[in-house]
Amino acid sequence: MIFERFPRTGIPDAFESLVEYEEYLKLLVATGCIDNAKKIWWDIRLHPFFNTIEFRICDAQSRVDDTIALAALMQAIVVKLHKLRAQNVTFRNYPRRLIDENRWRAARYGLDGKLIDFGRKCEMHERDLLDEMLEFILPEVDEPGTHAELAHIERIMREGAGADRQLAVWKRAGDLKAVVDHIIAETYAGLHMAKTKAA
């Protein structure tokens, strides 16, 4: 949310084609706004140098298992959407202003909040919507072979995300150092790395 003070952040507008996106980039470069596509910091973007989609919205996980699970989730979503597009299935294109509402709610309330289901035009518990998403992508998980990694998403839904754990430490200890120590411990957990003391 703090990063949004910069331009070209948050949810991108929808582009009708790759050509339209490339024309947008050319305009920004030609007018001195940016010198290359790396200066586009949207939550999701085409990677400027690799033929991939880059998800940037949740790149601050403290547990490696959470990071791997989120990567598997995003991979499965892309596989599913690619297959549907290949079958000429179209999608609703919701305006950025609506998506931003849910983005703000997710940041503010986390997994315990409610998001707007734009199709149903009502609020729904975030965990219920995540269950629907997991059901939507389940047929595609065989292709990348990420059943175990995606199962960890259910653990996150059950136990809470990193922010939930950090808030719990803060409420218990009332000390920022304890929160930092918790983040460090989670980051090292399962990595089998030797900790080194700063000089």
Side-chain angles (χ1 to χ4, degrees):
M1 292 299 174
I2 294 168
F3 195 62
E4 286 185 4
R5 295 178 183 181
F6 292 99
R8 301 172 302 281
T9 59
I11 302 293
D13 290 321
F15 291 91
E16 293 298 320
S17 66
L18 180 59
V19 171
E20 183 184 358
Y21 172 70
E22 288 171 343
E23 288 300 317
Y24 168 75
L25 288 181
K26 286 178 191 172
L27 175 66
L28 292 184
V29 171
T31 55
C33 299
I34 61 174
D35 56 1
N36 65 65
K38 285 189 80 172
K39 302 301 190 306
I40 302 247
W41 298 300
W42 293 324
D43 292 345
I44 181 172
R45 70 176 185 187
L46 295 177
H47 193 282
F49 305 119
F50 303 108
N51 191 21
T52 60
I53 298 171
E54 186 177 10
F55 289 80
R56 303 168 49 84
I57 193 166
C58 51
D59 59 351
Q61 305 303 308
S62 55
R63 293 195 310 205
V64 70
D65 290 345
D66 291 0
T67 302
I68 292 169
L70 289 169
L73 175 66
M74 292 169 201
Q75 182 184 48
I77 291 169
V78 171
V79 169
K80 177 71 172 190
L81 296 179
H82 182 266
K83 284 188 174 181
L84 290 175
R85 183 163 177 84
Q87 297 165 7
N88 206 26
V89 175
T90 58
F91 310 99
R92 292 179 185 159
N93 189 5
Y94 293 109
R96 177 181 173 167
R97 62 187 173 272
L98 289 180
I99 298 169
D100 272 337
E101 288 294 330
N102 273 347
R103 186 172 173 273
W104 186 88
R105 285 173 177 234
R108 171 62 183 88
Y109 300 109
L111 289 170
D112 294 322
K114 292 181 179 180
L115 300 179
I116 304 166
D117 184 312
F118 302 122
R120 294 181 181 115
K121 297 184 178 175
C122 66
E123 289 181 303
M124 291 189 66
H125 291 283
E126 187 167 339
R127 283 182 172 87
D128 292 339
L129 289 171
L130 283 168
D131 282 334
E132 284 186 21
M133 182 188 300
L134 290 172
E135 187 178 324
F136 175 70
I137 63 169
L138 191 60
E140 313 314 325
V141 178
D142 287 335
E143 188 172 317
T146 53
H147 283 278
E149 291 80 2
L150 274 172
H152 188 80
I153 294 289
E154 293 175 7
R155 178 183 172 195
I156 295 171
M157 290 167 57
R158 219 175 30 250
E159 297 177 5
D164 298 312
R165 295 188 300 274
Q166 291 168 34
L167 286 169
V169 172
W170 171 256
K171 287 176 185 171
R172 186 174 62 250
D175 178 20
L176 265 178
K177 184 181 180 311
V179 176
V180 172
D181 289 344
H182 165 79
I183 294 169
I184 292 169
E186 279 204 339
T187 301
Y188 276 104
L191 293 183
H192 309 295
M193 295 173 61
K195 295 181 192 177
T196 58
K197 289 190 174 182

